[in-house]
Amino acid sequence: MSEDINNLNFKLPEPTLRRLPWYLAYLKLLKDKGEEYVSSTQISKDINVDSSQIAKDLSFINISGKTRVGYEINSLVDVLESFLGFTRTHRAFILGAGSLGSALLHDDGLSQYGLQIVAAFDVNPNKIGKVINGIHVYDIKDLEQFRKDQNVSIGILTVPVDKAQNVADMAIKAGIEAIWNFTPFRIKVPHNIVVQNTSIYAHLAVMFNRLTFQ
Amino acid sequence: MSEDINNLNFKLPEPTLRRLPWYLAYLKLLKDKGEEYVSSTQISKDINVDSSQIAKDLSFINISGKTRVGYEINSLVDVLESFLGFTRTHRAFILGAGSLGSALLHDDGLSQYGLQIVAAFDVNPNKIGKVINGIHVYDIKDLEQFRKDQNVSIGILTVPVDKAQNVADMAIKAGIEAIWNFTPFRIKVPHNIVVQNTSIYAHLAVMFNRLTFQ
């Protein structure tokens, strides 16, 4: 099955990629309840996504339902987990052991989704040498050497906004291939570097606005 | 100025709302450097957003640049912070004091953006009674009474997927008006309830996919 997945040698549209984890979360619930099959109509009803959209999204990963019975839940869960990369281990550094960085160090859930945080880095002498939830905080000067020794590809950017570009540049120079940017700053990177922006504070603004004008 | 903002009695398009915090983060940097004016061309160059898009986004909140000098940074920062709701205090509960819930309790950055977490709730007797980063964890049975006493409008949903719908229902019954859903489960809510989905694990999947197929 993983061979089939490796043959899917293309990038999925981002909206599809973002919906796949919703399907996975829902399907795992059904699996835990002992269900064997589910139709796209049923998925649609339970998670409020159009059923033709679901069928289209799943067809991207070569999954199609069987007439009348629908999708086989167990195999769909396996394919989705594998395709989404949750079954492999991706090694990452936390860049900035401040409030948000420390918060992420406390989230053991990330490892269940394939992200292993192996170390944190900071410039603050009061933070360097600390151990947060079992993860050591090192001097950011040692980033390049650590990265080489530990084969880490992902940097999780949790520095203050005014350091975001500078620390991203350092990480890329050190050999980091993907930056998970939790700052609200739009960093600029070479075209071969992956950037995933996750500004939870921007989501907060959307929610506040909806709450005010609801 | 806040009166003008309250007169903007409409919902902004979500993509605009999500970009406004990027502009704010960037403008605050310029402000800290002592700059007074900035053009949309300059913003565009530094944060990789089309300059006509920037002008359009800012026109939604009645902001327009002056010919030649551009936008006045100080007042634009004030208007954005106020419009985005970051200068008011919004009271929130953490629903689920597990790994992700505890992580958010460690993020003091949220309060800088106007979110004050006043209590956490859980069903687990081992968690009830604990204090995490100064916030007490209470029995979820007491949610309704607490909400009434403390005038809290936002529930931050950080329970396991299989509890997401049930706990969301409880929160809404208790009078919560907005759910910030950190689970990958698509909850169903009445039309008058605001839902903001922030599944950081879905973002992780997007990043893994890009990293594999880059």
Side-chain angles (χ1 to χ4, degrees):
Chain A
M1 192 163 281
S2 65
E3 281 173 359
D4 293 337
I5 290 164
N6 290 332
N7 286 338
L8 297 169
N9 196 9
F10 61 88
K11 290 189 196 176
L12 260 65
E14 185 156 332
T16 293
L17 262 174
R18 291 194 183 224
R19 282 188 295 266
L20 294 179
W22 305 346
Y23 306 152
L24 175 60
Y26 168 75
L27 290 161
K28 282 167 90 174
L29 279 191
L30 296 185
K31 182 181 170 180
D32 289 346
K33 286 182 191 163
E35 312 261 341
E36 285 184 51
Y37 290 92
V38 66
S39 65
S40 55
T41 319
Q42 183 65 38
I43 304 177
S44 170
K45 190 166 150 269
D46 286 347
I47 68 169
N48 283 329
V49 178
D50 189 68
S51 64
S52 62
Q53 182 69 67
I54 295 167
K56 195 179 164 195
D57 286 341
L58 294 178
S59 73
F60 274 119
I61 51 169
N62 287 345
I63 295 286
S64 54
K66 288 179 198 161
T67 315
R68 278 197 298 275
V69 292
Y71 298 100
E72 214 248 295
I73 294 170
N74 276 351
S75 65
L76 188 45
V77 165
D78 290 346
V79 171
L80 280 171
E81 281 194 321
S82 174
F83 178 79
L84 291 171
F86 294 158
T87 55
R88 290 185 296 281
T89 298
H90 303 74
R91 293 161 68 81
F93 288 144
I94 286 276
L95 305 171
S99 171
L100 185 58
S102 304
L104 291 175
L105 288 170
H106 282 95
D107 180 18
D108 300 315
L110 289 168
S111 64
Q112 292 168 36
Y113 287 88
L115 191 83
Q116 188 194 1
I117 299 173
V118 297
F121 293 88
D122 209 289
V123 289
N124 185 338
N126 296 326
K127 287 177 188 153
I128 295 164
K130 279 200 174 175
V131 179
I132 301 171
N133 198 22
I135 312 288
H136 285 258
V137 182
Y138 298 100
D139 191 325
I140 198 149
K141 283 189 299 189
D142 300 326
L143 179 63
E144 191 159 353
Q145 192 57 50
F146 260 88
R147 208 219 53 83
K148 281 180 193 152
D149 295 346
Q150 304 209 9
N151 192 27
V152 169
S153 55
I154 297 170
I156 305 173
L157 195 62
T158 49
V159 293
V161 166
D162 62 337
K163 303 289 185 301
Q165 185 64 57
N166 186 22
V167 172
D169 292 344
M170 286 176 68
I172 292 162
K173 185 167 168 286
I176 287 292
E177 295 162 46
I179 306 249
W180 194 4
N181 178 21
F182 277 81
T183 81
F185 192 77
R186 304 290 288 175
I187 53 171
K188 287 192 280 191
V189 302
H191 71 278
N192 60 324
I193 301 295
V194 174
V195 174
Q196 175 62 45
N197 292 304
T198 301
S199 176
I200 66 172
Y201 308 127
H203 287 198
L204 202 51
V206 175
M207 183 172 64
F208 289 162
N209 188 264
R210 296 284 176 259
L211 201 48
T212 304
F213 297 120
Q214 181 71 295
Chain B
M1 193 164 281
S2 65
E3 281 175 1
D4 294 337
I5 289 163
N6 290 333
N7 286 337
L8 296 169
N9 196 10
F10 60 90
K11 289 188 197 177
L12 260 66
E14 186 156 331
T16 293
L17 263 174
R18 290 191 185 226
R19 281 188 295 266
L20 294 180
W22 305 346
Y23 306 153
L24 176 60
Y26 168 75
L27 291 161
K28 282 166 90 175
L29 278 192
L30 296 185
K31 183 180 169 179
D32 290 347
K33 287 182 192 163
E35 312 261 341
E36 285 185 52
Y37 289 92
V38 66
S39 65
S40 56
T41 318
Q42 183 64 38
I43 305 177
S44 171
K45 189 166 150 269
D46 286 345
I47 68 170
N48 284 330
V49 177
D50 189 69
S51 65
S52 61
Q53 182 70 66
I54 295 168
K56 195 179 164 194
D57 286 342
L58 294 178
S59 72
F60 274 119
I61 52 170
N62 287 345
I63 296 286
S64 54
K66 288 180 198 161
T67 315
R68 279 197 297 276
V69 290
Y71 298 100
E72 213 249 294
I73 293 170
N74 275 351
S75 66
L76 188 46
V77 165
D78 289 346
V79 170
L80 280 170
E81 281 194 320
S82 174
F83 178 79
L84 292 171
F86 294 158
T87 54
R88 291 184 295 282
T89 298
H90 303 75
R91 291 162 68 83
F93 287 143
I94 285 276
L95 306 171
S99 169
L100 185 57
S102 303
L104 291 175
L105 288 170
H106 282 94
D107 180 19
D108 299 316
L110 289 168
S111 64
Q112 291 169 35
Y113 287 88
L115 192 82
Q116 188 194 1
I117 299 174
V118 297
F121 293 87
D122 209 289
V123 289
N124 185 338
N126 296 325
K127 286 176 188 154
I128 296 165
K130 280 199 174 175
V131 180
I132 302 171
N133 198 23
I135 312 288
H136 285 259
V137 181
Y138 299 99
D139 192 325
I140 198 149
K141 283 189 300 188
D142 300 325
L143 179 64
E144 191 159 354
Q145 192 56 49
F146 260 89
R147 206 216 58 78
K148 281 180 192 151
D149 295 346
Q150 304 211 8
N151 191 28
V152 168
S153 54
I154 296 171
I156 304 173
L157 194 63
T158 49
V159 294
V161 166
D162 62 336
K163 303 289 185 300
Q165 186 63 58
N166 186 23
V167 172
D169 292 344
M170 286 177 67
I172 293 163
K173 185 167 169 286
I176 287 291
E177 295 162 47
I179 305 243
W180 195 3
N181 178 20
F182 276 82
T183 81
F185 192 77
R186 303 290 289 175
I187 54 170
K188 288 193 279 190
V189 302
H191 70 278
N192 60 326
I193 301 296
V194 174
V195 174
Q196 176 62 44
N197 292 303
T198 300
S199 176
I200 65 171
Y201 309 127
H203 287 199
L204 203 50
V206 175
M207 184 172 62
F208 289 161
N209 188 264
R210 295 285 177 258
L211 202 47
T212 305
F213 298 118
Q214 182 70 292

